[in-house]
């Protein structure tokens, strides 16, 4: 076995890599890049590396108050995970099936998320290494979703239940061995040493066999998860072509387009069988059937187009449409639209009647508890003093009402970024009371 030289090892990590780590919701404190990488390299070449337990488990509201638990690792473990995946990306980022998105390369140019684009990305990813890539591929996915909705009469949308948590590690390892040259076998073992052992606080001395972490900082798990679905994608693509159906996937979200709803249901059944073979299953509560009209309403293509125009008249029209759909109880991507509206630079200039109604929706506690410090920043700068006071009041009340500690970590960031005085002991005590371990 020959490990890359120390000089080449350092080149794997761009200058902004450790700055990226500082975006963690759980602060690292001081980070010494040279010390971390020196220690990691020495441990790798002397076979003494072993992952530490996560610093914390960040709990997000996944959907309908169900928890999504995301570990936040030490800086050294983040570096190891990125290093091993980066070495193997030539093999695991290739052979993408047309119409599937999620397997793009990690890349060396790591960009910090800038405020102008974070709002768009944040709906789909936690601190991606490459937010520009997320924008590029999500935009292409949405473009195709819209284009196919013009070509077919019916759509069936579904996703995978507990996707990351259900990936079979031994099967994933075998899949990587099949595509990687012998010269990279050492890095496969190194990668899986991390994946088998990162959660000893739960697994004890047994190796972890199921599930990859939803890493807070980067894209390593995204790349591995997408690779895990490649064989499934090929089978689904073939089945869809045989039935004159179009297949589209972004991460675990999948859409089938066709002109016969019975055929779409048949293919959903086939998808269930193929996913079962790799230890996965479809989230039955998230299966949705649409015709062309209801699909376009749900995806709010027209509304997003109006918001993207940047014109006051179009934005007013989009907001009226948003309020109308909400009042009628029609299901659509409500929070996605709200976040997009928040990003409109001239929001203060919209119709005053609409502004009043919109601000009351923004201040809804359920919505406030489900967004991040960045969105609160936008509101805080946008709102007049009276409404700003109500925002702070609602956020303060949510400290004791919300059980997801991601809210509290975001709130600390919001207070600090805006130099707002707050009771640090109260917030820290609340975070401690919500700890998993």
């Amino acid at each position: 076995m020959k490990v890359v030289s120390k000089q080449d090892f350092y080149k794997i990590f761009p200058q902004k890599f450790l700055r990226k780590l500082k975006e963690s919701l759980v602060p690292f404190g001081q980070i010494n890049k040279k010390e971390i990488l020196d220690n990691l390299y020495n441990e790798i070449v002397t076979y003494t590396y072993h992952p530490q337990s996560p610093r914390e488990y960040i709990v997000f509201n996944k959907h309908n108050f169900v928890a999504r638990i995301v570990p936040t690792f030490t800086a050294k473990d983040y570096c190891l995970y990125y290093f091993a995946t980066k070495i193997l990306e030539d093999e695991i980022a290739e052979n993408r099936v047309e119409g599937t998105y999620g397997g793009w390369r990690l890349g060396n140019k790591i960009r910090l998320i800038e405020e102008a684009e974070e709002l768009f990305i944040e709906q789909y990813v936690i601190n991606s290494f490459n937010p520009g890539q997320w924008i590029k591929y999500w935009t292409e996915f949405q473009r195709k979703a819209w284009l196919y909705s013009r070509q077919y009469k019916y759509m069936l949308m579904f996703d995978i239940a507990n996707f990351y948590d259900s990936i079979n590690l031994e099967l994933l390892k075998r899949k990587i061995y099949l595509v990687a040259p012998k010269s990279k076998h050492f890095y496969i073992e190194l990668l899986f040493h991390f994946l088998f052992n990162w959660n000893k606080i739960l697994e004890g001395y047994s190796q972890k066999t199921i599930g990859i972490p939803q890493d807070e900082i980067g894209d390593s798990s995204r790349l591995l998860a997408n690779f895990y679905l490649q064989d499934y994608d090929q089978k689904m693509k073939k089945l869809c072509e045989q039935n004159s159906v179009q297949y589209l996937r972004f991460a675990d979200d999948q859409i089938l387009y066709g002109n016969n709803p019975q055929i779409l249901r048949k293919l959903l059944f086939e998808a269930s069988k193929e996913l079962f073979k790799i230890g996965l299953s479809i989230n039955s509560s998230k299966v949705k059937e649409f015709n062309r009209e209801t699909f376009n309403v749900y995806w709010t293509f027209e509304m997003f187009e109006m918001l993207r125009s940047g014109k006051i008249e179009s934005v007013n029209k989009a907001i009226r449409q948003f309020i109308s759909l909400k009042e009628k109880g029609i299901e659509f991507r409500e929070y996605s639209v709200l976040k997009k509206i928040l990003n409109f630079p001239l929001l203060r200039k919209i119709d005053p009647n609409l502004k009043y109604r919109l601000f009351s929706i923004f201040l809804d506690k359920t919505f406030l508890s489900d967004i991040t410090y960045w969105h609160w920043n936008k509101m805080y700068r946008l709102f007049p003093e009276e409404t700003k006071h109500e925002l702070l009041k609602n956020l303060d009340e949510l400290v004791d009402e919300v059980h997801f500690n991601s809210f509290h970590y975001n709130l600390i960031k919001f207070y600090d970024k805006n130099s707002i005085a707050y009771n640090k002991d109260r917030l820290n005590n609340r975070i401690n009371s919500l700890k998993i371990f």
Side-chain angles (χ1 to χ4, degrees):
M1 183 281 302
K2 184 179 180 181
V3 186
V4 296
S5 69
K6 196 168 187 177
Q7 184 179 9
D8 289 338
F9 177 75
Y10 264 88
K11 290 178 181 177
I12 295 287
F13 305 92
Q15 286 295 319
K16 293 182 179 179
F17 181 84
L18 293 181
R19 281 181 58 199
K20 188 72 180 176
L21 296 182
K22 292 181 180 178
E23 291 183 358
S24 170
L25 283 178
V26 184
F28 277 96
Q30 198 66 28
I31 296 177
N32 186 320
K33 177 180 178 180
K34 186 177 186 307
E35 181 181 347
I36 290 169
L37 294 183
D38 280 350
N39 289 340
L40 177 58
Y41 185 80
N42 290 336
E43 289 179 12
I44 290 173
V45 298
T46 58
Y47 302 97
T48 56
Y49 167 77
H50 194 78
Q52 298 180 42
S53 294
R55 298 178 301 134
E56 177 63 284
Y57 293 85
I58 304 175
V59 185
F60 295 84
N61 182 357
K62 180 180 179 180
H63 182 67
N64 286 339
F65 304 100
V66 175
R68 171 187 281 126
I69 301 173
V70 175
T72 178
F73 301 118
T74 66
K76 184 168 68 175
D77 287 339
Y78 273 127
C79 290
L80 183 283
Y81 195 21
Y82 175 75
F83 167 69
T85 314
K86 177 66 181 172
I87 290 286
L88 294 165
E89 77 170 347
D90 282 348
E91 287 71 38
I92 59 180
E94 298 300 320
N95 302 316
R96 180 177 74 88
V97 172
E98 182 185 358
T100 64
Y101 300 90
W104 61 86
R105 302 170 70 87
L106 295 174
N108 269 335
K109 293 184 179 180
I110 296 176
R111 297 171 51 210
L112 297 178
I113 296 179
E114 297 182 8
E115 288 195 350
E117 62 191 10
E118 182 179 5
L119 181 66
F120 181 79
I121 301 161
E122 202 165 358
Q123 302 163 44
Y124 317 108
V125 62
I126 303 167
N127 280 350
S128 167
F129 276 131
N130 287 292
Q133 291 291 78
W134 273 95
I135 288 176
K136 174 184 175 182
Y137 288 107
W138 178 256
T139 301
E140 185 176 340
F141 174 75
Q142 285 198 113
R143 184 183 65 80
K144 285 192 174 179
W146 175 83
L147 183 65
Y148 295 150
S149 72
R150 297 297 188 267
Q151 298 174 7
Y152 297 91
K153 295 179 181 179
Y154 301 100
M155 299 83 202
L156 194 153
M157 192 166 68
F158 61 100
D159 69 9
I160 298 170
N162 303 313
F163 180 28
Y164 280 33
D165 294 333
S166 303
I167 289 174
N168 184 307
L169 292 179
E170 285 292 350
L171 179 55
L172 175 62
K173 186 178 180 181
R174 289 200 300 271
K175 285 175 176 285
I176 297 176
Y177 263 116
L178 286 173
V179 298
K182 190 174 182 180
S183 60
K184 292 189 177 183
H185 285 189
F186 168 78
Y187 300 105
I188 300 175
E189 293 299 329
L190 181 62
L191 171 63
F192 281 87
H193 178 65
F194 170 80
L195 291 174
F196 286 147
N197 294 289
W198 67 265
N199 207 18
K200 285 300 184 188
I201 196 168
L202 277 180
E203 308 294 333
Y205 287 109
S206 300
Q207 281 194 336
K208 186 175 181 61
T209 58
I210 302 293
I212 61 176
Q214 297 198 37
D215 49 328
E216 183 207 7
I217 297 298
D219 288 346
S220 296
S221 291
R222 170 196 55 80
L223 193 60
L224 292 172
N226 192 77
F227 174 76
Y228 192 74
L229 290 178
Q230 280 189 354
D231 293 337
Y232 163 78
D233 286 333
Q234 290 171 2
K235 292 172 183 174
M236 283 301 297
K237 183 71 173 175
K238 184 177 180 181
L239 283 169
C240 286
E241 287 176 347
Q242 290 172 349
N243 288 274
S244 300
V245 167
Q246 186 66 52
Y247 173 60
L248 197 59
R249 177 178 69 78
F250 189 98
D252 63 331
D253 294 317
Q254 301 169 62
I255 311 175
L256 303 178
Y257 297 82
N259 292 318
N260 185 327
Q262 293 301 324
I263 290 178
L264 297 184
R265 292 168 190 162
K266 172 192 169 187
L267 289 172
L268 179 68
F269 175 70
E270 294 298 327
S272 300
K273 292 197 298 183
E274 293 301 328
L275 288 170
F276 175 77
K277 294 175 184 177
I278 54 175
L280 302 176
S281 60
I282 291 171
N283 186 343
S284 59
S285 67
K286 300 284 280 292
V287 176
K288 298 181 186 296
E289 293 183 287
F290 302 94
N291 59 34
R292 185 179 296 162
E293 181 181 353
T294 57
F295 183 77
N296 281 279
V297 169
Y298 177 83
W299 272 76
T300 61
F301 291 124
E302 182 183 2
M303 211 181 298
F304 269 88
E305 191 60 36
M306 288 187 284
L307 292 170
R308 273 193 293 267
S309 74
K311 297 177 181 178
I312 291 289
E313 301 81 8
S314 296
V315 173
N316 281 333
K317 185 177 179 182
I319 295 172
R320 288 190 189 96
Q321 189 172 323
F322 171 89
I323 292 172
S324 175
L325 290 176
K326 187 173 173 62
E327 289 178 344
K328 291 175 181 175
I330 296 172
E331 186 178 8
F332 66 105
R333 297 190 300 159
E334 180 180 336
Y335 282 10
S336 296
V337 176
L338 279 177
K339 292 173 183 179
K340 186 67 177 176
I341 291 171
L342 258 179
N343 205 32
F344 180 55
L346 300 177
L347 197 55
R348 287 187 180 91
K349 295 186 177 182
I350 64 171
D351 185 309
N353 293 326
L354 294 176
K355 189 189 301 183
Y356 175 79
R357 299 179 73 180
L358 193 60
F359 283 3
S360 67
I361 295 171
F362 283 148
L363 290 171
D364 176 77
K365 281 188 176 182
T366 302
F367 178 63
L368 286 177
S369 67
D370 207 33
I371 53 179
T372 70
Y373 73 91
W374 193 90
H375 305 99
W376 302 330
N377 284 344
K378 294 287 286 188
M379 293 180 190
Y380 190 69
R381 295 165 191 169
L382 170 71
F383 289 165
E385 284 303 317
E386 183 180 340
T387 314
K388 188 181 296 186
H389 176 76
E390 190 173 352
L391 168 66
L392 295 178
K393 174 179 171 290
N394 286 356
L395 289 174
D396 183 69
E397 291 175 355
L398 284 168
V399 169
D400 296 319
E401 296 175 15
V402 174
H403 302 292
F404 303 96
N405 67 10
S406 61
F407 169 83
H408 304 88
Y409 282 117
N410 270 289
L411 190 56
I412 290 173
K413 245 184 177 181
F414 167 69
Y415 286 150
D416 288 343
K417 281 184 174 291
N418 292 281
S419 301
I420 299 171
Y422 66 98
N423 188 329
K424 294 183 181 180
D425 288 340
R426 178 186 174 221
L427 258 175
N428 288 329
N429 288 338
R430 180 60 174 156
I431 288 171
N432 287 332
S433 74
L434 294 171
K435 280 184 177 292
I436 296 177
F437 301 105

